[in-house]
Amino acid sequence: MIKWFSKYGIVILLFNTILMSIKETRYFADQLFLIIMFLFSFLIILNPKQVKYVILHKSFLFLTIINCINFIYFIIIHNINDVEAIKYLLARTVQFSIICISIYYNYEYYKERFFRLLINVIFFIVIISLILDPFFISGRYSGVIWNPNMLSSLVMFGFAFLFFKNSNSKDFWYYLKLFLLLLIGFSSGSRSSIVAIVIAFLVKYGFSKRNIFYSSLVLLILLVFSLISYESSIDRFLSQGLFSDRIIQWQFALESVKNKFFLGYGLDKYAFIDDSLVSESIKDRLVGAHNGYLAILTQYGFFIGSFVVFIIIRKSLDLIIFFNKYKGFQRVYLYVIIFTLIASIYETMFTGINEFNTILFWFSLSMLSYSKYKDSNEV
């Protein structure tokens, strides 16, 4: 049981974030999350030498550094009574440990078969959504997911995983799945769907003739959808742009950073805007920083936060440059990293605890880091 959990811990963690995004299963997912944290903490206590060896592995050192920053920051800023900060600290530490151990003990599984499982689960969510709520053209569609943006994030990852699939068996069902995932992504009204598609084409094809053709096709679809009077991703993108409703949130996120410039607001204040800086008339329009980089600066303060951002960007660029010419499974993980780096300009995707995109991003960085180590050392 422990061996199995060590190999598939990240799978359980990711699927639990999907359950958390469904209203009917959220309570169960909350309890399951606590069980996962408890069981893995117990596993760490039982196997300290093995766990120490893995988390201190060169490939995962960047995660260990961030964990150390969190512990030092907690000692400086927080005290034992800050329960929410303790929860964040422990959850992030255990999550990073789950990522490292899952990759180290089950690397081959996460190269290919992992994506097939994710595609099937995401497509299952889409089918259940259409059965229970078939009116996907009436406003912003969310299906069984509580939030349209979350649905968009989920289905566009499913689209990308399927799009990058290396297989000769691309039959009718393959293209039907692609079409449905694309349709639901657009119907969610999330402008990230457009960004996700563009990045997927660029990562897979680069600036090739094929990519020019597909880009023209996407532009044609954009034009057609813009004539339809429902609130699709394309309609919102064409009428509002990408950042129109984010500017004011960024402004107050910057004000929050300035207000606690040196030490920030604390570990538990991720995706945070200080309400005391906002007038009553616009408070209902501000739901968070909506920028992953500003969220980190608000959380840790400018100097520590800048160092954390530096770690993320440096590791990401290092992997993007190294795997730029690779055509295998690495291309899929590169997509996750590149999309998250760009989407974090207008969404908060680095700091969450129970968010599918956030966990997948850290997992992708770690997976490619370990893959680079194996390739460089011919292991």
Side-chain angles (χ1 to χ4, degrees):
M1 178 65 181
I2 292 177
K3 186 178 181 180
W4 183 90
F5 191 61
S6 299
K7 290 182 175 181
Y8 299 103
I10 188 62
V11 177
I12 300 170
L13 201 58
L14 277 171
F15 289 168
N16 195 55
T17 64
I18 297 176
L19 292 177
M20 279 194 171
S21 65
I22 302 173
K23 291 180 181 178
E24 290 75 12
T25 58
R26 185 172 180 85
Y27 177 78
F28 169 76
D30 284 336
Q31 308 311 308
L32 181 58
F33 176 75
L34 294 176
I35 293 171
I36 294 170
M37 293 297 105
F38 173 78
L39 288 178
F40 215 89
S41 298
F42 190 61
L43 185 151
I44 292 172
I45 293 170
L46 287 178
N47 304 276
K49 289 184 179 180
Q50 293 92 324
V51 171
K52 180 182 176 182
Y53 176 79
V54 173
I55 65 175
L56 293 180
H57 191 280
K58 182 180 179 181
S59 306
F60 310 125
L61 200 56
F62 72 102
L63 296 181
T64 303
I65 292 173
I66 292 175
N67 274 336
C68 289
I69 291 172
N70 287 340
F71 274 97
I72 294 170
Y73 182 82
F74 179 86
I75 292 170
I76 295 172
I77 298 299
H78 296 285
N79 59 60
I80 200 66
N81 295 319
D82 292 335
V83 177
E84 293 304 314
I86 293 174
K87 286 181 181 179
Y88 181 93
L89 178 67
L90 295 178
R92 180 63 85 211
T93 301
V94 174
Q95 280 182 350
F96 280 177
S97 299
I98 291 174
I99 288 172
C100 298
I101 292 171
S102 294
I103 293 171
Y104 187 82
Y105 288 110
N106 207 12
Y107 174 73
E108 292 300 320
Y109 173 81
Y110 295 109
K111 285 172 63 176
E112 298 291 347
R113 291 160 57 195
F114 175 59
F115 295 116
R116 292 201 293 269
L117 181 60
L118 285 180
I119 290 168
N120 290 333
V121 170
I122 293 171
F123 192 71
F124 176 76
I125 294 293
V126 169
I127 296 300
I128 293 297
S129 294
L130 290 173
I131 291 173
L132 297 179
D133 183 9
F135 305 105
F136 61 88
I137 61 172
S138 57
R140 296 192 64 188
Y141 186 72
S142 60
V144 297
I145 306 297
W146 75 276
N147 180 281
N149 290 334
M150 176 61 194
L151 177 66
S152 169
S153 177
L154 202 59
V155 298
M156 294 318 298
F157 275 123
F159 171 85
F161 299 153
L162 195 59
F163 182 65
F164 284 102
K165 184 179 179 182
N166 292 320
S167 174
N168 294 323
S169 59
K170 293 181 178 179
D171 54 11
F172 169 78
W173 295 109
Y174 170 82
Y175 291 105
L176 178 62
K177 286 181 180 180
L178 274 183
F179 174 74
L180 280 177
L181 291 168
L182 201 60
L183 181 64
I184 297 303
F186 285 162
S187 299
S188 70
S190 173
R191 287 157 290 187
S192 282
S193 298
I194 309 298
V195 177
I197 293 168
V198 172
I199 293 173
F201 279 115
L202 289 174
V203 171
K204 183 167 184 177
Y205 298 123
F207 295 96
S208 64
K209 291 181 181 179
R210 181 187 292 185
N211 201 18
I212 294 172
F213 168 75
Y214 281 125
S215 297
S216 301
L217 186 62
V218 169
L219 287 175
L220 179 63
I221 295 172
L222 283 174
L223 181 61
V224 172
F225 268 83
S226 68
L227 302 176
I228 302 174
S229 59
Y230 78 99
E231 201 174 2
S232 70
S233 303
I234 299 166
D235 183 58
R236 294 183 74 223
F237 187 89
L238 294 175
S239 63
Q240 301 176 25
L242 188 60
F243 305 132
S244 60
D245 57 348
R246 295 291 189 255
I247 304 239
I248 190 171
Q249 298 177 41
W250 296 344
Q251 289 174 345
F252 282 101
L254 281 170
E255 290 300 319
S256 298
V257 173
K258 292 177 185 176
N259 192 49
K260 291 198 174 183
F261 185 79
F262 292 103
L263 293 176
Y265 286 83
L267 291 177
D268 54 317
K269 301 297 189 297
Y270 53 94
F272 180 75
I273 288 179
D274 191 340
D275 282 346
S276 66
L277 304 174
V278 184
S279 62
E280 290 293 333
S281 60
I282 60 171
K283 276 188 178 180
D284 59 334
R285 295 169 56 189
L286 303 179
V287 294
H290 276 294
N291 182 294
Y293 306 97
L294 289 176
I296 290 175
L297 298 182
T298 305
Q299 185 181 20
Y300 294 100
F302 181 80
F303 295 106
I304 299 177
S306 295
F307 184 57
V308 173
V309 170
F310 170 77
I311 292 172
I312 294 171
I313 293 178
R314 185 178 183 277
K315 172 58 72 173
S316 298
L317 291 178
D318 177 55
L319 296 172
I320 290 169
I321 293 169
F322 185 86
F323 289 109
N324 183 46
K325 302 298 182 181
Y326 282 61
K327 300 297 183 182
F329 73 93
Q330 297 92 343
R331 185 71 57 176
V332 189
Y333 287 114
L334 277 182
Y335 165 80
V336 175
I337 293 170
I338 293 170
F339 171 75
T340 304
L341 290 176
I342 294 174
S344 289
I345 296 172
Y346 54 88
E347 294 289 355
T348 306
M349 290 188 170
F350 296 139
T351 57
I353 292 295
N354 285 309
E355 294 177 0
F356 183 86
N357 196 143
T358 302
I359 296 175
L360 190 61
F361 170 72
W362 291 112
F363 177 76
S364 298
L365 277 180
S366 305
M367 182 66 182
L368 286 189
S369 184
Y370 188 62
S371 180
K372 179 187 174 184
Y373 170 83
K374 290 176 76 70
D375 285 4
S376 300
N377 294 276
E378 298 182 353
V379 177

